[in-house]
Amino acid sequence: QVQLVESGGGLVQTGGSLRLSCATSGFRFENNVIAWFRQAPGKEREGVACFKGGTSRTYSRDSVKGRFTIARDAASNTIYLQMNSLKPEDTAVYYCAARPVFYSDTVCGAGHEYPYWGQGTQVTVSS
């Protein structure tokens, strides 16, 4: 049974940092893409970053490049999202999601391509 459990959200001031964790179980990293998505109030869900199993390559959206880093801890099967220089526009519920690599040829893919999701963790950045 695939499980994804996020933690690490909270309230932080502009310019601050948070590290989100996604504890995973029930699947092999090598065969899957694990991604972070976010959804702000009144906005559509958007992909933030992803880790591609097999190649161990990482990708992130332009608006977070240089500020957010996605990384994997193989020993604990945990995916992290280190978020630095946070801005109010980063405020959202952040979700961890997983899909088999073969589901799509896209780099990270859209949310509808992901069958497995965590419960989400709230990140609030105050100005």
Side-chain angles (χ1 to χ4, degrees):
Q1 182 180 359
V2 175
Q3 287 191 319
L4 304 165
V5 180
E6 303 99 331
S7 61
L11 173 64
V12 65
Q13 291 185 334
T14 296
S17 298
L18 284 173
R19 189 178 76 161
L20 305 183
S21 301
C22 175
T24 74
S25 61
F27 64 93
R28 293 173 59 88
F29 265 85
E30 291 73 17
N31 300 330
N32 285 269
V33 178
I34 299 93
W36 286 97
F37 288 83
R38 67 186 180 186
Q39 187 164 21
K43 295 188 177 181
E44 292 190 356
R45 182 176 57 196
E46 62 182 17
V48 177
C50 74
F51 175 96
K52 194 165 186 177
T55 65
S56 296
R57 293 189 66 178
T58 61
Y59 307 87
S60 58
R61 68 183 298 112
D62 287 344
S63 64
V64 305
K65 283 181 179 177
R67 300 190 299 122
F68 292 10
T69 302
I70 186 171
R72 171 200 176 189
D73 177 15
S76 63
N77 286 333
T78 300
I79 285 285
Y80 297 100
L81 185 67
Q82 177 66 45
M83 305 186 296
N84 299 327
S85 301
L86 283 161
K87 305 175 181 180
E89 51 263 42
D90 295 318
T91 295
V93 178
Y94 283 70
Y95 299 91
C96 179
R99 67 164 176 86
V101 171
F102 70 83
Y103 268 29
S104 172
D105 292 334
T106 57
V107 174
C108 291
H112 64 82
E113 299 174 5
Y114 288 75
Y116 307 112
W117 291 82
Q119 81 286 355
T121 185
Q122 176 70 47
V123 171
T124 303
V125 185
S126 62
S127 56

